[in-house]
Each structure stands twice: as structure tokens, then as C-alpha cells.
Amino acid sequence: MLIRRPPDILPGEITPEGVHRRRRAILKALALGPLALAGCGRGAESQAVPADGGGALEIAKRGANVVGEPMTDMDAATRYNNYYEFGTAKDDPAKNSGRFRPEPWSVEIAGEAEITGRFALEDLLKPHPLEERVYRMRCVEAWSMVIPWVGFPLGDLLKRFRPTSKAKYVAFTTVNRPGEMPGLAYPVLDWPYTEGLRIDEAMHPLAILAVGLYGRTLPNQNGAPLRLVLPWKYGFKGIKSIVRIAFTERQPATAWNRAAPDEYGFYANVNPAVDHPRWSQATERRITGTGFGLFGNRIATRPFNGYAEQVASLYAGMDLRRDF
Ligand code: MTE
């Protein structure tokens, strides 16, 4: 399919055709040398970079750790993962994603927008200065981490395609590459993995597209080269390795909601008052590192994962027991 160029990019900024080596390109377009690592927070410098982890990123804005809680070690964040396309065990994604090639990469923008087409990742990223944001991530399985993500607001990208008034939702799709993703051989979910947001959720400034963590490009197991991070929602909303973003008029189907609608809702806001049918959501195990850190402390889960002040108004008037 034709690779288009997004709006707001001057001709001189466009990467020459054929130059699509993602890491090299991202590093060139956005990053510097090893200095970029300095100051990226507790745990980052002391941890070994996993073999398939990327290079250091240039971060324009380093957010303070407003969460105020100790960060999870990079080791745990990159070895204890959910990425079922590489297997369902927590260590499968790190073990089985070595063959995955996140470059070259392009994303199709489709649906209810004035500008649609397929765009090279470098061109999508170029206008967006990268920020580091330390966010709590709460998995529906009642464990959580605190991770310094590197990315930029999802809404900033979406606006460039000028969604029409019919764009009520945004649907996301993960890449589907059976040759590189051994988990796709098993019908655990109806592949490819899909997710969705209401457009106002997608435009909320807390919602980011991440290209890195701990100051480096995303390792494959964390969703290279581009993934969603939505800190007030359960982790499964954070779809990895995105290849398609579509503006839709109707609420899109999502992989987990289709697989088990009684267990995984479309909204999936972190909510200690609504239990998963098979376990409580009132508390969570905070993972701090590998080894004993994996057992973590048990702490109370907060509504909207502690981000209620920023996002609760999005859901005013909704019954979140029904619209879970
Ligand atoms: N995206 C895809 N494509 N496939 C998956 O299996 N798992 C989700 C989410 N995104 C998943 C996915 C779940 S359940 C969680 S908790 C987070 O990714 C985990 O992200 P992390 O491994 O970077 O911590």
C-alpha cells in the first residue's frame, strides 16, 4: 500500500524513501547518545538493557515522578510481560520475541478523518517531542508496576488527521505476523489483537503513545515500536505494536471484550468496587523488581488507578458498574 506523508511535516523533514530502519531512524530523528540516559530515574542506569532493547532516546521533557512511589526495576518491566502473541506465560514475551522485527514500520490511519492512508513511523513521530512520564500501570490480574514511559500525547497525533464529526471512537490493531509471533498459532484470542477508546478518552492528555521506557526505545516484549499507555485503565487496554488506527462512528470490538464480555468491559477503567467475576479488584500486588520484588507489597487499588481527579469527569453520568 502507498506510504503517505502526514500533515504538518515540511518537505525538508521527510525521511528519504527507503530509509526505514526504525531504530536508526528513531535515534536519528529523536535521540542522542548515551547522555540521554542520565537522570531517567531510579533503577534505570543500574539495570542491564535487555538484548533486544533499543537505543537511548532524546527526551524533550522529563516529568517528575508525580506518582511519588518507587519505580519498578527495568528488569521486571521487561521480563514480566503480557503479550500473548509471544505466548501466555509472563516470561514468554522476553524469551520468544527475538525474531520480531519492528522495522521498517508503518501505521495505517483509516475511517472518519479528512486525512487517511499509510504513514511511515518516522514521519508520524517527527513532529512530537518525546516526554518521560512516570505512570502507574495496573493489570487486570491484580498486579501493578510504576514505569517511566517515553512517548507523547495520543491526541496530538490524532488531531493531525482531522477527525470528522462522525469520529466517535478510535480503534487500534496490533500487527499480525505468525512467522515472528509464535503465540499466534494458538487461538487464545481472535487475532489480531484489537482495542478501542471513545474519542474523548483518546484525546485526554494522560493518554500517550509510547515509543520507549526507561529512556530507551521499547523492547519487543513491551510493544515495539509503538504502543498505547492509558494509566487510568487496566493494562490490557494498552495495545502493543500498533499498525492501524481507525476513527469510527460505532464502538469498535475489542479482543478481550469479544473473548469474555462478562470479564473485560470496553471501558475497563481501574475500579476497586467492581470485581472481576473470578477475583477481587480491591487490592493489587505492586511489583518492584525481579526475585522477591515480583511478589510485591499488597496495596489498595484506587478508583481510576489514582488518576480520578484528571479523568473521572469523562464518565460523569455513567454507571461504571454496568459500563465496566
Ligand atoms: N497488546 C497485545 N497486542 N497483546 C497482548 O497480549 N497484553 C495487554 C497489553 N497489551 C497485550 C497487549 C496486557 S493484559 C497488559 S497488562 C499490558 O499489555 C502489559 O504491558 P507490559 O508487558 O509492557 O507491562
Side-chain angles (χ1 to χ4, degrees), residues 76-87 90 93 137-141 143 145 147 149 173-175 181 189 191-195 213 218-219 221-223 227-229 234-242 256:
T78 58
R79 284 175 212 281
Y80 189 90
N81 299 102
N82 276 333
Y83 197 166
Y84 281 13
E85 288 87 333
F86 295 109
K90 294 288 177 272
M137 198 274 276
R138 170 63 158 79
C139 185
V140 73
E141 297 161 327
W143 51 267
M145 294 186 181
I147 295 177
W149 297 100
T173 310
T174 293
V175 75
M181 302 172 118
L189 288 170
W191 311 114
Y193 196 101
T194 52
E195 255 309 334
L213 38 66
L218 288 172
Q221 61 268 31
N222 293 92
R227 67 168 292 169
L228 270 186
V229 180
Y234 289 119
F236 68 86
K237 297 294 286 185
I239 183 171
K240 296 175 168 180
S241 307
I242 297 166
W256 280 107

Side-chain angles (χ1 to χ4, degrees), residues 28-214:
K28 253 197 240 150
L30 306 165
L32 325 162
L35 274 182
L37 249 194
C40 73
R42 204 182 91 102
E45 279 130 301
S46 59
Q47 299 299 322
V49 178
D52 51 356
L57 288 164
E58 181 185 6
I59 298 164
K61 229 199 279 175
R62 273 179 203 281
N65 180 357
V66 287
V67 166
E69 294 158 19
M71 273 192 241
T72 299
D73 285 352
M74 183 166 132
D75 207 39
T78 58
R79 284 175 212 281
Y80 189 90
N81 299 102
N82 276 333
Y83 197 166
Y84 281 13
E85 288 87 333
F86 295 109
T88 54
K90 294 288 177 272
D91 56 350
D92 279 346
K95 278 197 311 214
N96 298 336
S97 61
R99 255 194 302 156
F100 182 70
R101 290 289 155 254
E103 56 192 31
W105 199 266
S106 62
V107 180
E108 183 194 353
I109 308 288
E112 306 293 347
E114 286 176 27
I115 299 158
T116 56
R118 183 172 287 280
F119 302 95
L121 181 64
E122 306 83 284
D123 290 336
L124 291 179
L125 297 184
K126 218 171 254 173
H128 301 287
L130 295 183
E131 299 170 34
E132 182 175 79
R133 302 240 189 127
V134 180
Y135 278 162
R136 286 181 211 98
M137 198 274 276
R138 170 63 158 79
C139 185
V140 73
E141 297 161 327
W143 51 267
S144 61
M145 294 186 181
V146 177
I147 295 177
W149 297 100
V150 183
F152 59 91
L154 168 67
D156 289 357
L157 179 84
L158 296 181
K159 281 178 207 147
R160 288 165 60 200
F161 300 96
R162 299 188 207 120
T164 69
S165 59
K166 282 188 177 169
K168 305 275 195 284
Y169 295 88
V170 189
F172 302 85
T173 310
T174 293
V175 75
N176 193 40
R177 291 199 199 144
E180 297 175 27
M181 302 172 118
L184 291 176
Y186 305 95
V188 186
L189 288 170
D190 191 2
W191 311 114
Y193 196 101
T194 52
E195 255 309 334
L197 295 171
R198 219 172 50 194
I199 189 105
D200 58 337
E201 300 181 297
M203 294 294 180
H204 192 281
L206 279 185
I208 58 169
L209 275 170
V211 296
L213 38 66
Y214 301 87

